Every structure is written in C-alpha cells, then in structure tokens.
Amino acid sequence: MADETEQQLREKIAAQKGLIANLAPLRSITRETGLSSPETKARVQLIEYLSDDEEKLELLLECKRVAAVVRLQDELHPPLDSEDCPICLETIKHVNSTTIVRFYCCGGFTCKQCCDERNKDEEEGLADKLRGKCPLCRGKMPREGDDKESLTRALEHANKGRAWAQMKLGTWYLTGMNGFALDKQKGLQLLEQAADQRYPDALFMMALAYSGEMLERDESKYMYYLKEAADLGHQSAQKRLGIADHKCGNEKEKSVHYITLAASQGDAEACGMLGDFFMRAECGLTNSLTLAKHYSEKYFEDAVEGDPCDNPVPAFNFSLALFHLCLERYEGILEIPGYSPIPKSLFWARRALKVDPTNDFVIKFISMVENEAKSHCTNCREGAEGSSLKRCVRCLGAWYCGKECQVQHWKAGHKLDCIK
C-alpha cells in the first residue's frame, strides 16, 4: 500500500511540475500584478499543492526509513516483555516506565493512555464510583502524597521478588529519597536483583548509577547497562546511547539508529536531534528542510515537562527550515500575504535566543531578517527608515507606514501569518 501511495505521489508531483514549468515565473507575476493580486495568489496556490505533495512524499519515505530501523532492531533484539494493556487490550511492545503506569496496590499496570483517560474522567466527575480505587483490583490505592502507604506496598512486592518494586526501592536507597536513609550498598544490591531479571527500568537505573550520578563513574559498566536497557526498548536509554555514540565521533551510524528508535517512541529530545541531523546532513542522513522542520516541530509536540523550549536548537532549526523552505518555493519572495514565513520564523528564532542569549548565529539571523523587513512598508513596499515605520505589535514581524497599510495587509493575508 505504501509503495502504491509513493508511486501515486511521484506521478502527481511530476504532473504538477510539468504544469508549473509552462507558466510564467512567480517573480514575473508579482512584478506585474503585485504581491496581493489574485494572479499571484492563484500561482502561489499551485506551488502550495506541489509543496504539500512533495512534503507528503518525504514524510512517507522517512516513515519507511524509521520502520526499517525498528524492524532491524526487532530482528537483532526481539521484544521479550510485550504485554497487552488489561484495559484497552492494545499490545504494549516494551513494558517500562515510559510506556505504562504501575499501581502499588496490586502491582499491575495499564498503558499510559488508559491511565490518562481515567484521570481525565475523574477530573470531570465521570468516575466518582471508582475514585481512589485501582482500575484493576478495585482495591484502595494509596492517596497522592501518601508516601508511607506507597512504601509499604512497594516493600511487600519487593519481598516477593518483583523486579519493578526492587528497582524502586533500590533507587530510593541509592538517592536517599522518600524517607529512606542513604544506603548505596543496599540500593545497588536491590537494583542488581531487578537487573538480573532483565527489567529495563532497572538496567537503565544501573546505567545512571554508574554514569556518576549516584556512584563513582564506571564507563564500561555505564555503557553495558545502557545498551542492555536500550536493546530492551527503553526509550530514554536509546536516546542516551545515541548521544553517547554521537560524541564518540566514529559511531555515527549507531547513533542515528538509537536516536531514531527513541524518536519513534515519542522522545522529544531524540526528535530534536533528528531534526538537527537533517538540517546539517549528519550521521549519513541527507539534508532535508522538510524533515528538519518535521522533527523540530515534534520536539515541541512531544515535550511534556517544564518549558518545552529549554533547548534552543530545535527552535532555531524550526525557524531556519520555515524561512528557507519558503525561499525555495516562492523564488526568493518572502512577503506574499498569507504565505510569508517572516513572522513565524522570527517568533521561533526569538524563542531560541531567549534560551541562549549569546548565540551569534541566532542574533545574526534575526538581525538580517528584521533589517530587510523594516527597510520598507510590508504592504505598499515604499522604502523608509526603520524608525519611521510602525511594527505589528502582535507578531513583531511586519512594518507599516501607517494604519491604512496595516489594515489592508491584515485583510490581504497577514492574519494567517501573524503569530503571538
């Protein structure tokens, strides 16, 4: 089916390119009729249809690449811990803390999506009868913040040899958390017991322990446990292993392999790294503005903790991709109302600068775009000193010689480009 879709897209793209090749260049049309004319908009719309299909094709080919990476990983390291969620019955390919929510009462689990839906129902008052009860055993769950009850239940499960509970207790002893006295020897012993059962979270915690965060750094043990966890499908371990391989310099192929695996499971940082690889054509990946934009955008979609823009790289890559894609598509014309990348590109570049205020590349890019944009009225194109123009207070990415031009430009399409 994918091959058929690919062939259809290729044929459609070829036909669209043939049609456009027989038309007047966009720059000629804008020179004769203006940036906001119906003729310009009609021509741009044809370019949009072509660009959309080219983007679909690139994303389809990228999906094939990712599927091939996942398939190779499954052949080399077949999933050993796949289980069905007892609520929705969907198969959880890799059971670990990044894919499930564990219940201390019975030790069972559900997939994260089912847990999120249950929490939403409780918030909306749709599950009053089940409030505070385990969705599996219907027993009373420890109240939020009741660490004593949670610890008691975890100890009971650990004494029965359950790896997830041994991992929890081992981590608490290693870090002195949740009221546990710091006892690195006992913590390491419990983690090793869980790791001996090939529990992915325990293997990952062993890697973190030997990374220097909890114990003295041991590079060989760190990499051993990290790879063990990564090959069992732990997305955080896959990301860390990919980063470690990337730093080695001579492990680029392995790096993109594990980063791709982590990104395929929704790891935001891994998505940001793939976006950077495609922007820079690193690790054997070809340069692709479309895929740089795609993965940089996914970084913000998948980020769940804190400020999603704590990393300036995806924000700046997203800004650059938006800007240069439009440069390529519209023959270097950047101010067609409704199709201008300038407001959004400046928005994301400024977000990157907010995180990294001394980044020369970002500073120079913002300065270049702003200086060119404010050298004339965005609507009537009349040249003017930047100080004599009024800037759009919403997006800070368009300049006008007066209110009349601003209103005209808004109606012509700036309302689609403007961003706050």
Side-chain angles (χ1 to χ4, degrees):
M1 182 63 181
D3 289 337
E4 183 181 340
T5 303
E6 180 185 341
Q7 183 60 32
Q8 289 174 350
L9 280 170
R10 289 188 185 279
E11 291 173 357
K12 191 175 178 183
I13 289 168
Q16 289 172 321
K17 284 184 174 180
L19 172 63
I20 290 174
N22 293 321
L23 300 175
L26 177 62
R27 188 166 288 278
S28 299
I29 296 173
T30 58
R31 193 181 300 118
E32 292 175 8
T33 65
L35 294 175
S36 304
S37 69
E39 292 84 358
T40 296
K41 292 297 179 72
R43 183 69 169 75
V44 168
Q45 194 58 59
L46 289 177
I47 296 174
E48 280 290 292
Y49 292 147
L50 172 60
S51 300
D52 287 347
D53 286 334
E54 287 179 329
E55 187 168 318
K56 287 176 185 177
L57 179 59
E58 277 206 69
L59 291 174
L60 178 63
L61 295 175
E62 174 61 7
C63 285
K64 284 186 173 183
R65 185 194 71 82
V66 172
V69 171
V70 173
R71 188 164 54 248
L72 174 62
Q73 181 69 11
D74 289 347
E75 290 171 359
L76 295 174
H77 305 280
L80 303 176
D81 55 349
S82 298
E83 291 192 45
D84 293 342
C85 170
I87 301 295
C88 67
L89 303 182
E90 290 291 327
T91 299
I92 305 170
K93 186 176 178 181
H94 301 292
V95 176
N96 55 61
S97 60
T98 65
T99 60
I100 67 163
V101 174
R102 182 78 64 176
F103 301 105
Y104 285 82
C105 47
C106 59
F109 64 85
T110 66
C111 68
K112 285 201 169 182
Q113 183 177 351
C114 284
C115 185
D116 290 343
E117 289 177 359
R118 175 185 168 84
N119 291 339
K120 183 179 178 182
D121 287 345
E122 288 191 356
E123 289 173 4
E124 296 176 353
L126 301 178
D128 288 334
K129 292 182 179 179
L130 298 178
R131 191 179 299 278
K133 295 183 179 179
C134 173
L136 303 180
C137 69
R138 295 295 188 264
K140 188 176 180 182
M141 293 194 300
R143 293 188 302 275
E144 186 174 349
D146 188 352
D147 293 337
K148 185 177 180 181
E149 179 65 18
S150 297
L151 298 179
T152 301
R153 298 290 182 89
L155 281 167
E156 291 173 359
H157 289 297
N159 289 334
K160 294 177 182 178
R162 291 171 181 164
W164 68 268
Q166 292 171 334
M167 183 274 300
K168 289 281 187 184
L169 293 177
T171 303
W172 294 337
Y173 275 118
L174 268 178
T175 57
M177 291 173 56
N178 288 359
F180 279 69
L182 185 66
D183 189 333
K184 293 187 176 182
Q185 183 177 354
K186 189 169 185 178
L188 188 60
Q189 181 182 8
L190 283 163
L191 276 181
E192 286 175 340
Q193 290 174 4
D196 287 343
Q197 298 182 56
R198 306 284 294 157
Y199 188 62
D201 287 322
L203 292 164
F204 182 57
M205 287 306 302
M206 288 290 288
L208 292 185
Y210 284 115
S211 72
E213 292 186 21
M214 305 172 201
L215 303 171
E216 184 178 346
R217 185 174 180 87
D218 186 319
E219 188 67 22
S220 62
K221 288 184 178 180
Y222 169 64
M223 293 301 293
Y224 168 77
Y225 284 114
L226 198 59
K227 190 173 189 309
E228 290 291 295
D231 287 338
L232 285 174
H234 198 288
Q235 73 179 55
S236 296
Q238 290 169 341
K239 175 185 67 183
R240 280 203 172 219
L241 185 58
I243 292 172
D245 287 335
H246 187 255
K247 288 179 179 178
C248 289
N250 58 347
E251 298 284 359
K252 301 289 187 179
E253 189 174 330
K254 282 177 61 179
S255 172
V256 77
H257 176 82
Y258 283 105
I259 292 296
T260 298
L261 289 173
S264 72
Q265 297 195 68
D267 187 279
E269 190 175 352
C271 288
M273 290 186 69
L274 277 183
D276 199 45
F277 291 165
F278 279 111
M279 178 63 75
R280 301 171 183 271
E282 283 191 11
C283 300
L285 298 177
T286 57
N287 175 255
S288 170
L289 292 172
T290 294
L291 295 178
K293 177 173 79 77
H294 169 72
Y295 279 114
S296 297
E297 190 171 22
K298 278 188 67 64
Y299 169 84
F300 296 99
E301 291 175 357
D302 295 337
V304 293
E305 295 182 2
D307 183 358
C309 194
D310 58 358
N311 182 352
V313 176
F316 189 46
N317 282 338
F318 191 49
S319 170
L320 288 176
L322 288 171
F323 188 83
H324 288 288
L325 278 170
C326 285
L327 267 180
E328 290 182 2
R329 291 172 180 173
Y330 306 132
E331 302 175 21
I333 304 170
L334 295 172
E335 294 183 309
I336 300 172
Y339 301 93
S340 174
I342 293 175
K344 291 184 178 67
S345 187
L346 283 174
F347 172 84
W348 287 103
R350 289 167 185 148
R351 285 196 69 173
L353 190 63
K354 185 178 179 181
V355 180
D356 186 3
T358 61
N359 191 309
D360 284 341
F361 292 107
V362 182
I363 292 170
K364 289 177 181 177
F365 176 75
I366 292 174
S367 178
M368 177 197 73
V369 176
E370 286 188 344
N371 288 339
E372 173 59 27
K374 67 186 180 183
S375 67
H376 54 269
C377 173
T378 309
N379 183 60
C380 69
R381 318 295 296 168
E382 287 294 325
E385 294 297 326
S387 59
S388 68
L389 298 175
K390 303 299 181 183
R391 185 158 62 167
C392 174
V393 296
R394 188 171 187 269
C395 68
L396 306 177
W399 283 259
Y400 305 101
C401 56
K403 184 176 181 181
E404 184 178 349
C405 274
Q406 184 172 7
V407 172
Q408 287 177 2
H409 194 245
W410 179 264
K411 292 179 179 178
H414 181 64
K415 61 185 175 183
L416 302 174
D417 302 326
C418 197
I419 183 173
K420 185 177 181 180

mmCIF file of all heavy atoms in Angstrom, residues 346-371:
data_model
loop_
_atom_site.group_PDB
_atom_site.id
_atom_site.type_symbol
_atom_site.label_atom_id
_atom_site.label_comp_id
_atom_site.label_asym_id
_atom_site.label_seq_id
_atom_site.Cartn_x
_atom_site.Cartn_y
_atom_site.Cartn_z
ATOM 1 N N LEU A 346 10.733 34.514 12.749
ATOM 2 C CA LEU A 346 11.263 35.396 13.800
ATOM 3 C C LEU A 346 10.788 34.952 15.180
ATOM 4 O O LEU A 346 11.545 35.007 16.158
ATOM 5 C CB LEU A 346 10.829 36.835 13.536
ATOM 6 C CG LEU A 346 11.588 37.585 12.433
ATOM 7 C CD1 LEU A 346 10.956 38.949 12.189
ATOM 8 C CD2 LEU A 346 13.066 37.759 12.813
ATOM 9 N N PHE A 347 9.535 34.505 15.265
ATOM 10 C CA PHE A 347 8.980 34.052 16.547
ATOM 11 C C PHE A 347 9.835 32.928 17.132
ATOM 12 O O PHE A 347 10.238 32.972 18.300
ATOM 13 C CB PHE A 347 7.539 33.577 16.347
ATOM 14 C CG PHE A 347 6.948 32.913 17.554
ATOM 15 C CD1 PHE A 347 6.368 33.654 18.567
ATOM 16 C CD2 PHE A 347 6.970 31.531 17.689
ATOM 17 C CE1 PHE A 347 5.812 33.045 19.686
ATOM 18 C CE2 PHE A 347 6.423 30.903 18.805
ATOM 19 C CZ PHE A 347 5.848 31.662 19.804
ATOM 20 N N TRP A 348 10.151 31.907 16.303
ATOM 21 C CA TRP A 348 10.904 30.765 16.809
ATOM 22 C C TRP A 348 12.369 31.108 17.025
ATOM 23 O O TRP A 348 13.006 30.588 17.959
ATOM 24 C CB TRP A 348 10.741 29.574 15.859
ATOM 25 C CG TRP A 348 9.373 28.988 15.963
ATOM 26 C CD1 TRP A 348 8.337 29.140 15.097
ATOM 27 C CD2 TRP A 348 8.871 28.188 17.039
ATOM 28 N NE1 TRP A 348 7.220 28.489 15.553
ATOM 29 C CE2 TRP A 348 7.516 27.898 16.736
ATOM 30 C CE3 TRP A 348 9.417 27.691 18.213
ATOM 31 C CZ2 TRP A 348 6.719 27.130 17.583
ATOM 32 C CZ3 TRP A 348 8.622 26.925 19.052
ATOM 33 C CH2 TRP A 348 7.296 26.648 18.728
ATOM 34 N N ALA A 349 12.920 31.983 16.200
ATOM 35 C CA ALA A 349 14.307 32.411 16.422
ATOM 36 C C ALA A 349 14.427 33.173 17.734
ATOM 37 O O ALA A 349 15.407 33.023 18.477
ATOM 38 C CB ALA A 349 14.780 33.262 15.248
ATOM 39 N N ARG A 350 13.424 34.010 18.031
ATOM 40 C CA ARG A 350 13.448 34.752 19.299
ATOM 41 C C ARG A 350 13.305 33.826 20.493
ATOM 42 O O ARG A 350 13.892 34.068 21.560
ATOM 43 C CB ARG A 350 12.333 35.802 19.301
ATOM 44 C CG ARG A 350 12.598 36.980 18.354
ATOM 45 C CD ARG A 350 11.362 37.806 18.165
ATOM 46 N NE ARG A 350 11.546 38.883 17.180
ATOM 47 C CZ ARG A 350 10.584 39.340 16.385
ATOM 48 N NH1 ARG A 350 9.357 38.819 16.467
ATOM 49 N NH2 ARG A 350 10.841 40.296 15.520
ATOM 50 N N ARG A 351 12.532 32.757 20.346
ATOM 51 C CA ARG A 351 12.426 31.775 21.433
ATOM 52 C C ARG A 351 13.773 31.107 21.677
ATOM 53 O O ARG A 351 14.159 30.850 22.819
ATOM 54 C CB ARG A 351 11.361 30.724 21.103
ATOM 55 C CG ARG A 351 9.940 31.218 21.249
ATOM 56 C CD ARG A 351 8.932 30.096 21.298
ATOM 57 N NE ARG A 351 9.041 29.326 22.533
ATOM 58 C CZ ARG A 351 8.180 28.373 22.875
ATOM 59 N NH1 ARG A 351 7.157 28.093 22.080
ATOM 60 N NH2 ARG A 351 8.322 27.712 24.001
ATOM 61 N N ALA A 352 14.477 30.816 20.591
ATOM 62 C CA ALA A 352 15.808 30.221 20.739
ATOM 63 C C ALA A 352 16.755 31.203 21.431
ATOM 64 O O ALA A 352 17.547 30.816 22.299
ATOM 65 C CB ALA A 352 16.354 29.829 19.369
ATOM 66 N N LEU A 353 16.662 32.468 21.058
ATOM 67 C CA LEU A 353 17.538 33.485 21.648
ATOM 68 C C LEU A 353 17.229 33.694 23.121
ATOM 69 O O LEU A 353 18.126 33.993 23.915
ATOM 70 C CB LEU A 353 17.372 34.801 20.879
ATOM 71 C CG LEU A 353 18.391 35.903 21.205
ATOM 72 C CD1 LEU A 353 19.792 35.457 20.821
ATOM 73 C CD2 LEU A 353 18.030 37.193 20.503
ATOM 74 N N LYS A 354 15.977 33.519 23.497
ATOM 75 C CA LYS A 354 15.589 33.669 24.903
ATOM 76 C C LYS A 354 16.301 32.630 25.771
ATOM 77 O O LYS A 354 16.671 32.900 26.922
ATOM 78 C CB LYS A 354 14.070 33.522 25.031
ATOM 79 C CG LYS A 354 13.532 33.768 26.423
ATOM 80 C CD LYS A 354 12.018 33.653 26.456
ATOM 81 C CE LYS A 354 11.482 33.885 27.869
ATOM 82 N NZ LYS A 354 9.999 33.759 27.913
ATOM 83 N N VAL A 355 16.504 31.435 25.222
ATOM 84 C CA VAL A 355 17.182 30.366 25.959
ATOM 85 C C VAL A 355 18.696 30.529 25.898
ATOM 86 O O VAL A 355 19.405 30.255 26.855
ATOM 87 C CB VAL A 355 16.774 28.985 25.386
ATOM 88 C CG1 VAL A 355 17.464 27.861 26.145
ATOM 89 C CG2 VAL A 355 15.266 28.802 25.457
ATOM 90 N N ASP A 356 19.186 30.990 24.744
ATOM 91 C CA ASP A 356 20.632 31.154 24.551
ATOM 92 C C ASP A 356 20.911 32.569 24.040
ATOM 93 O O ASP A 356 21.106 32.782 22.839
ATOM 94 C CB ASP A 356 21.125 30.110 23.548
ATOM 95 C CG ASP A 356 22.639 30.103 23.396
ATOM 96 O OD1 ASP A 356 23.304 30.878 24.119
ATOM 97 O OD2 ASP A 356 23.156 29.353 22.553
ATOM 98 N N PRO A 357 20.924 33.565 24.931
ATOM 99 C CA PRO A 357 21.023 34.978 24.526
ATOM 100 C C PRO A 357 22.329 35.372 23.844
ATOM 101 O O PRO A 357 22.406 36.446 23.253
ATOM 102 C CB PRO A 357 20.866 35.736 25.854
ATOM 103 C CG PRO A 357 20.273 34.751 26.802
ATOM 104 C CD PRO A 357 20.784 33.422 26.383
ATOM 105 N N THR A 358 23.345 34.536 23.913
ATOM 106 C CA THR A 358 24.636 34.901 23.323
ATOM 107 C C THR A 358 24.929 34.155 22.023
ATOM 108 O O THR A 358 26.051 34.224 21.508
ATOM 109 C CB THR A 358 25.777 34.616 24.324
ATOM 110 O OG1 THR A 358 25.794 33.216 24.635
ATOM 111 C CG2 THR A 358 25.588 35.419 25.606
ATOM 112 N N ASN A 359 23.944 33.442 21.496
ATOM 113 C CA ASN A 359 24.156 32.659 20.278
ATOM 114 C C ASN A 359 24.302 33.588 19.073
ATOM 115 O O ASN A 359 23.337 34.208 18.623
ATOM 116 C CB ASN A 359 22.985 31.689 20.069
ATOM 117 C CG ASN A 359 23.262 30.677 18.977
ATOM 118 O OD1 ASN A 359 23.655 31.019 17.867
ATOM 119 N ND2 ASN A 359 23.022 29.415 19.289
ATOM 120 N N ASP A 360 25.499 33.693 18.529
ATOM 121 C CA ASP A 360 25.781 34.621 17.423
ATOM 122 C C ASP A 360 24.985 34.292 16.173
ATOM 123 O O ASP A 360 24.551 35.190 15.453
ATOM 124 C CB ASP A 360 27.278 34.619 17.087
ATOM 125 C CG ASP A 360 28.094 35.396 18.112
ATOM 126 O OD1 ASP A 360 27.485 36.217 18.838
ATOM 127 O OD2 ASP A 360 29.310 35.170 18.210
ATOM 128 N N PHE A 361 24.798 32.982 15.889
ATOM 129 C CA PHE A 361 24.068 32.595 14.681
ATOM 130 C C PHE A 361 22.625 33.093 14.743
ATOM 131 O O PHE A 361 22.087 33.612 13.760
ATOM 132 C CB PHE A 361 24.096 31.077 14.514
ATOM 133 C CG PHE A 361 25.453 30.520 14.213
ATOM 134 C CD1 PHE A 361 26.161 29.822 15.172
ATOM 135 C CD2 PHE A 361 26.040 30.709 12.964
ATOM 136 C CE1 PHE A 361 27.418 29.316 14.905
ATOM 137 C CE2 PHE A 361 27.301 30.202 12.684
ATOM 138 C CZ PHE A 361 27.994 29.504 13.655
ATOM 139 N N VAL A 362 21.996 32.923 15.910
ATOM 140 C CA VAL A 362 20.607 33.353 16.069
ATOM 141 C C VAL A 362 20.513 34.877 16.004
ATOM 142 O O VAL A 362 19.629 35.427 15.345
ATOM 143 C CB VAL A 362 20.024 32.836 17.403
ATOM 144 C CG1 VAL A 362 18.558 33.248 17.539
ATOM 145 C CG2 VAL A 362 20.141 31.318 17.487
ATOM 146 N N ILE A 363 21.436 35.549 16.684
ATOM 147 C CA ILE A 363 21.435 37.015 16.697
ATOM 148 C C ILE A 363 21.577 37.567 15.283
ATOM 149 O O ILE A 363 20.844 38.480 14.864
ATOM 150 C CB ILE A 363 22.578 37.543 17.597
ATOM 151 C CG1 ILE A 363 22.301 37.202 19.064
ATOM 152 C CG2 ILE A 363 22.743 39.051 17.424
ATOM 153 C CD1 ILE A 363 23.465 37.465 20.001
ATOM 154 N N LYS A 364 22.519 37.011 14.505
ATOM 155 C CA LYS A 364 22.753 37.486 13.141
ATOM 156 C C LYS A 364 21.553 37.205 12.236
ATOM 157 O O LYS A 364 21.195 38.026 11.384
ATOM 158 C CB LYS A 364 24.005 36.841 12.569
ATOM 159 C CG LYS A 364 25.289 37.360 13.205
ATOM 160 C CD LYS A 364 26.511 36.633 12.649
ATOM 161 C CE LYS A 364 27.794 37.146 13.312
ATOM 162 N NZ LYS A 364 28.990 36.414 12.834
ATOM 163 N N PHE A 365 20.922 36.039 12.433
ATOM 164 C CA PHE A 365 19.757 35.694 11.605
ATOM 165 C C PHE A 365 18.599 36.654 11.872
ATOM 166 O O PHE A 365 17.990 37.187 10.948
ATOM 167 C CB PHE A 365 19.323 34.253 11.890
ATOM 168 C CG PHE A 365 18.072 33.845 11.166
ATOM 169 C CD1 PHE A 365 18.101 33.556 9.804
ATOM 170 C CD2 PHE A 365 16.857 33.768 11.836
ATOM 171 C CE1 PHE A 365 16.943 33.182 9.130
ATOM 172 C CE2 PHE A 365 15.701 33.403 11.172
ATOM 173 C CZ PHE A 365 15.744 33.109 9.812
ATOM 174 N N ILE A 366 18.309 36.899 13.146
ATOM 175 C CA ILE A 366 17.223 37.822 13.498
ATOM 176 C C ILE A 366 17.511 39.209 12.954
ATOM 177 O O ILE A 366 16.632 39.867 12.387
ATOM 178 C CB ILE A 366 17.029 37.856 15.030
ATOM 179 C CG1 ILE A 366 16.486 36.516 15.536
ATOM 180 C CG2 ILE A 366 16.066 38.982 15.423
ATOM 181 C CD1 ILE A 366 16.395 36.410 17.042
ATOM 182 N N SER A 367 18.753 39.653 13.122
ATOM 183 C CA SER A 367 19.131 40.980 12.638
ATOM 184 C C SER A 367 18.982 41.087 11.124
ATOM 185 O O SER A 367 18.458 42.079 10.610
ATOM 186 C CB SER A 367 20.578 41.277 13.052
ATOM 187 O OG SER A 367 20.992 42.532 12.567
ATOM 188 N N MET A 368 19.410 40.048 10.402
ATOM 189 C CA MET A 368 19.311 40.052 8.938
ATOM 190 C C MET A 368 17.857 40.150 8.484
ATOM 191 O O MET A 368 17.506 40.969 7.628
ATOM 192 C CB MET A 368 19.941 38.782 8.372
ATOM 193 C CG MET A 368 19.816 38.649 6.859
ATOM 194 S SD MET A 368 20.113 36.962 6.271
ATOM 195 C CE MET A 368 18.607 36.129 6.793
ATOM 196 N N VAL A 369 16.990 39.300 9.069
ATOM 197 C CA VAL A 369 15.580 39.268 8.660
ATOM 198 C C VAL A 369 14.889 40.582 9.023
ATOM 199 O O VAL A 369 14.148 41.154 8.211
ATOM 200 C CB VAL A 369 14.853 38.067 9.311
ATOM 201 C CG1 VAL A 369 13.366 38.082 8.959
ATOM 202 C CG2 VAL A 369 15.484 36.752 8.856
ATOM 203 N N GLU A 370 15.116 41.067 10.234
ATOM 204 C CA GLU A 370 14.464 42.311 10.664
ATOM 205 C C GLU A 370 14.929 43.505 9.834
ATOM 206 O O GLU A 370 14.104 44.334 9.432
ATOM 207 C CB GLU A 370 14.738 42.554 12.148
ATOM 208 C CG GLU A 370 13.947 41.652 13.078
ATOM 209 C CD GLU A 370 14.097 42.059 14.534
ATOM 210 O OE1 GLU A 370 15.033 42.837 14.838
ATOM 211 O OE2 GLU A 370 13.291 41.608 15.356
ATOM 212 N N ASN A 371 16.220 43.615 9.593
ATOM 213 C CA ASN A 371 16.737 44.763 8.848
ATOM 214 C C ASN A 371 16.168 44.827 7.438
ATOM 215 O O ASN A 371 15.851 45.907 6.929
ATOM 216 C CB ASN A 371 18.262 44.722 8.799
ATOM 217 C CG ASN A 371 18.895 45.050 10.138
ATOM 218 O OD1 ASN A 371 18.258 45.676 10.987
ATOM 219 N ND2 ASN A 371 20.128 44.636 10.337
#
